[in-house]
Amino acid sequence: MSTIPEEEYIVKCTSACAGCSSSLCLRYVLKAAGPDSVLVVPACCTSVIQGIYPGTAMNVPVYNIAFAAAAACASGMSEAFRALGRKTNVIAYAGDGGTADIGVQALSGALERGTDFLYICYDNEAYGNTGMQRSGATPLGARTTTTPGGKPTAKKDLDRIVEAHNPPYMATACSAYPLDLYKKVKKALSIPGPKFIHILAPCPPGWRYPTEKTVEMGKLAVKTGTWILYEREYGRLTINGPSKTAMRRPAPLEDYIKGQGRFKNLSPEILDRMRQQIERNVQRLAREEAGAC
Amino acid sequence: MLTIATGNKAVAAAVKAARPGVVAAYPITPQTEIVEQIAEYVTDGDLESRYIPVESEHSAMAACIGASVTGVRTFTATSSHGLLYMHEMVHWAAGARLPVVMANVNRALGPGWNTWAEHTDAFSQRDTGWLQVFVGTVQEAYDATLMAFKIAEDERVLLPVMVNLDGFSLSHITQALDTVDIGDFLPPCHLPHAIDTENPLGYGPMTGPADYFRFRWDIERSMRDARGVIAEVEGEFCERFGRSYGPTEDYRCEDADVVVVAMGTLGKEAEVAIDRLRDEGIKAGSMRLRWFRPFPDLDLAGRDVVVIDRDYSFGFGGVVAHSIRSKAGVSPYSVIAGLGGQEVTYNDIADFVRDRCPGEETWFGVNDHV
């Protein structure tokens, strides 16, 4: 941890919920990015977390933009900075709804155009700041305010959509592994062109677990193989340490879901489908890393 | 330099002269020629600009917003459905006080698909906080685009400007064009609230009921100040380049008993009708409304007014007719004509004047209305 700078770019007046992991992630993202950075934020929890006018909790410029427009706005900003001869990091920091759903077109366009920027999706698996409605990134079986009986379909595989654009760097991360996240942001920002990091960000009020369990919840997501930490540099996949272990000897899925109110009363069929899904993901990524696909 | 060009090429030539740092471009008929021509300028090295071939108009305006807030000059162009698709960002650009300049090639809206001229697209953006100017000739398309940058970037304005030209009837017709050496007419863009990582600010965060309305009032105050800025810029343009513009272009209005008010190319067509009517001894004049936002003060008191609306607000009436009714205090004869490129000749316009019924509305070509 000694490599992480002490400078803080989020000061102590955020409007984040207790136990908010996405603001924790942003803290490490900005420590890695440093002061010559601009955040582009569409409608998401971070719209609220950053503070209310005339105050701000952020110590870098934050450009707020409409829900669907983060990647497009960041495109314009990046091109303009480069036109001005400036290397300023342009970082879109968007939720899963703003990325996998309403913002996916703009993201696709920006990736395809080779925009020099870092797009970070912090994924709390629902529309968080509107009170937990289902998004395309909500997992199978999860109860949200618009899936009171549990979501009947699987989580959209955003990373494979991004992968199809062949960005020079993409990675997954999780709020429970801040050093891993810090290193990934550092690496991403050292590479020109479009970069993408997808962070799993457990959400106490949305997932319905006690606030003090927020780190544990992230760890369990990784240890059960539900969330796999990896990097893909110029197409080459590397599974990261914690997930290597989890893929060999995953913790029981029940350890992850039993502590979350959103997965209350899952049917055995849904639980079974969740296990199969994890297994498929693990095998696919293991095969790819071994060069067997 | 005297040349010939289409309306679209004239806009592109003005953009080249204005040298924006970033151009976001998405094609749509009949605007396409503008973004094609600019792409060619950039590729050939005639324009040093970052050209972002975005995947939608929503993203075109979002990219302009992101670029503009760094302080660079920005431009985009659209039309019709494209303008409506970017509507959310059209509001955002004005609310964020960014001097984006956009050409909008006026075109009707579907269904059915119709690529011909109509003003409903621009009027649907009426309340966004954009300045809107409507041009009638190829030369004016060039001149108005150049002036749009200067007006938008003026610190008393800092609002985006939309330059409107009629689809096909101006975008694709060829007229003489005198391009100018703009010299220092357009100084480098200076945005007082440009992003500065040494002085980090929050842009557009959550703003509560005790503060929000102040920002809205600030837009209106600048919109009011824009009238004077427009007059200054048009005055300077005339001094430098010899072409004179104002909130309206008046034709034989001084002693007119009846004035035809129209916008865009129909405003030019009306001038021919006026000559015909004058030959018949009818003291008619025409007033081509150029600026729609901010809406100018018009002196029409004591005369018959015939307003041609190439638009309609369903359940209400012609947008221009009602604007004039409320702002100029007259009760015009409202003619709805030219929708979706419907042909309207100078003879038709002369007939509108001859057959005028002040205070009433008629749809040209429709016989079953009461």
Side-chain angles (χ1 to χ4, degrees):
Chain A
M1 297 293 276
S2 60
T3 58
I4 296 181
E6 297 204 346
E7 285 86 355
E8 296 291 351
Y9 299 94
I10 304 183
V11 295
K12 289 177 180 170
C13 60
T14 72
S15 318
C17 303
C20 172
S21 73
S22 73
S23 47
L24 189 67
C25 293
L26 187 52
R27 182 174 172 223
Y28 288 98
V29 166
L30 292 175
K31 280 173 180 281
D36 191 21
S37 304
V38 180
L39 281 184
V40 176
V41 177
C44 61
C45 289
T46 305
S47 319
V48 182
I49 290 167
Q50 67 185 270
I52 292 168
Y53 176 86
T56 176
M58 315 297 291
N59 215 359
V60 294
V62 178
Y63 200 76
N64 289 282
I65 194 70
F67 213 168
C73 178
S75 282
M77 195 177 286
S78 169
E79 293 290 346
F81 278 137
R82 303 306 172 255
L84 293 167
R86 286 165 59 182
K87 291 184 168 153
T88 305
N89 298 314
V90 177
I91 304 172
Y93 196 72
D96 48 291
T99 304
D101 290 346
I102 197 171
V104 77
Q105 173 183 309
L107 173 61
S108 172
L111 293 171
E112 180 270 334
R113 291 190 297 272
T115 307
D116 183 25
F117 79 140
L118 168 60
Y119 191 107
I120 296 177
C121 171
Y122 65 98
D123 185 353
N124 60 10
E125 304 195 312
Y127 289 89
N129 67 328
T130 47
M132 292 324 265
Q133 295 78 33
R134 63 89 83 186
S135 78
T138 300
L140 178 69
R143 289 167 193 262
T144 67
T145 57
T146 51
T147 52
K151 187 172 178 244
T153 57
K155 182 180 177 77
K156 186 188 285 192
D157 197 339
L158 175 64
D159 299 316
R160 290 171 89 185
I161 296 173
V162 172
E163 188 193 332
H165 296 76
N166 296 310
Y169 183 82
M170 63 180 287
T172 58
C174 175
S175 58
Y177 300 85
L179 187 59
D180 177 71
L181 170 63
Y182 175 85
K183 286 177 178 166
K184 284 171 175 171
V185 173
K186 274 274 182 207
K187 189 185 283 183
L189 291 173
S190 73
I191 295 171
K195 286 83 63 178
F196 178 82
I197 298 178
H198 187 180
I199 311 173
L200 184 72
C203 167
W207 295 12
R208 301 181 213 169
Y209 63 81
T211 53
E212 69 273 15
K213 302 264 187 200
T214 216
V215 173
E216 188 183 323
M217 211 49 77
K219 296 228 164 179
L220 284 170
V222 170
K223 285 178 176 166
T224 55
T226 307
W227 190 255
I228 299 173
L229 299 174
Y230 66 81
E231 288 171 287
R232 195 174 263 113
E233 274 181 83
Y234 298 100
R236 192 187 159 76
L237 177 75
T238 309
I239 312 278
N240 302 122
S243 285
K244 272 192 185 305
T245 315
M247 285 164 72
R248 279 196 302 270
R249 284 184 307 278
L253 180 58
E254 286 80 354
D255 290 358
Y256 177 55
I257 61 174
K258 73 183 176 203
Q260 300 181 45
R262 63 173 179 161
F263 289 127
K264 208 173 165 188
N265 300 328
L266 275 188
S267 70
E269 292 77 24
I270 294 285
L271 200 57
D272 199 41
R273 277 172 66 194
M274 287 169 88
R275 283 202 192 89
Q276 289 171 21
Q277 214 172 63
I278 290 171
E279 187 55 28
R280 272 199 307 274
N281 273 343
V282 165
Q283 287 182 6
R284 178 175 61 85
L285 288 169
R287 274 200 309 273
E288 186 187 334
E289 198 189 29
C293 65
Chain B
M1 187 180 78
L2 199 58
T3 176
I4 56 165
T6 61
N8 280 343
K9 290 269 174 73
V11 169
V15 171
K16 184 175 74 163
R19 300 170 46 183
V22 169
V23 174
Y26 191 79
I28 180 170
T29 303
Q31 155 268 33
T32 323
E33 204 180 17
I34 298 176
V35 293
E36 287 172 341
Q37 183 62 57
I38 294 174
E40 213 168 297
Y41 287 146
V42 172
T43 304
D44 294 349
D46 295 328
L47 171 61
E48 205 179 303
S49 185
R50 297 274 174 151
Y51 186 92
I52 312 180
V54 285
E55 80 297 330
S56 77
E57 289 90 352
H58 194 276
S59 288
M61 189 50 63
C64 282
I65 288 167
S68 183
V69 75
T70 71
V72 307
R73 182 168 292 151
T74 57
F75 175 82
T76 190
T78 191
S79 173
S80 178
H81 287 266
L83 181 62
L84 268 60
Y85 193 56
M86 70 166 67
H87 175 65
E88 180 186 28
M89 306 319 299
V90 172
H91 269 282
W92 203 283
R97 309 306 304 264
L98 298 173
V100 178
V101 171
M102 171 164 65
N104 178 49
V105 184
N106 302 107
R107 173 190 141 179
L109 299 159
W113 286 120
N114 177 299
T115 59
W116 287 271
E118 194 179 309
H119 296 158
T120 307
D121 59 353
F123 291 172
S124 74
Q125 310 302 309
R126 187 186 64 182
D127 303 330
T128 54
W130 280 61
L131 280 68
Q132 286 198 29
V133 61
F134 285 72
V135 304
T137 66
V138 166
Q139 185 66 58
E140 192 184 352
Y142 176 86
D143 295 346
T145 304
L146 273 183
M147 284 188 273
F149 287 104
K150 188 159 177 122
I151 293 163
E153 292 167 10
D154 190 291
E155 285 203 20
R156 293 163 290 176
V157 178
L158 288 176
L159 286 170
V161 178
M162 189 186 301
V163 179
N164 289 280
L165 59 154
D166 284 338
F168 292 108
S169 55
L170 184 54
S171 66
H172 285 65
I173 61 126
T174 302
Q175 292 174 344
L177 172 67
D178 184 16
T179 59
V180 299
D181 176 3
I182 65 164
D184 59 358
F185 177 71
L186 271 181
C189 182
H190 172 73
L191 188 73
H193 56 293
I195 282 185
D196 177 4
T197 51
E198 309 256 302
N199 178 29
L201 299 172
Y203 293 77
M206 298 279 291
T207 306
D211 295 299
Y212 179 83
F213 67 93
R214 297 178 207 283
F215 291 98
R216 297 285 117 178
W217 162 245
D218 206 52
I219 294 173
E220 172 55 15
R221 190 172 53 191
S222 297
M223 196 56 105
R224 292 180 189 186
D225 290 346
R227 287 195 175 89
V229 175
I230 291 167
E232 270 177 38
V233 171
E234 288 175 344
E236 186 189 338
F237 190 88
C238 184
E239 270 173 38
R240 284 180 183 246
F241 308 118
R243 288 186 290 273
S244 170
Y245 295 99
T248 60
E249 184 185 46
D250 299 349
Y251 184 73
R252 302 182 82 168
C253 276
E254 301 79 21
D255 63 337
D257 298 325
V258 54
V259 174
V260 176
V261 178
M263 297 175 79
T265 50
L266 281 179
K268 297 306 285 183
E269 190 77 11
E271 293 176 5
V272 186
I274 297 310
D275 289 343
R276 290 293 172 107
L277 291 163
R278 288 270 175 176
D279 289 347
E280 292 171 22
I282 298 172
K283 285 163 80 175
S286 72
M287 186 177 275
R288 183 168 62 83
L289 188 58
R290 295 186 66 249
W291 285 95
F292 180 66
R293 288 291 181 275
F295 200 85
D297 297 322
L298 304 175
D299 180 16
L300 290 163
R303 326 186 210 207
D304 276 6
V305 178
V306 176
V307 176
I308 303 173
D309 264 290
R310 190 165 221 169
D311 62 85
Y312 201 70
S313 174
F314 297 107
F316 189 64
V319 172
V320 184
H322 279 283
S323 303
I324 282 171
R325 194 188 302 274
S326 73
K327 297 296 269 188
V330 296
S331 187
Y333 176 47
S334 166
V335 183
I336 312 303
L339 301 189
Q342 179 192 32
E343 184 160 299
V344 182
T345 67
Y346 54 80
N347 283 325
D348 298 323
I349 295 172
D351 281 343
F352 301 157
V353 173
R354 293 186 196 103
D355 304 339
R356 67 186 181 276
C357 305
E360 292 194 11
E361 176 186 299
T362 192
W363 282 59
F364 178 52
V366 174
N367 300 315
D368 60 353
H369 65 280
V370 268

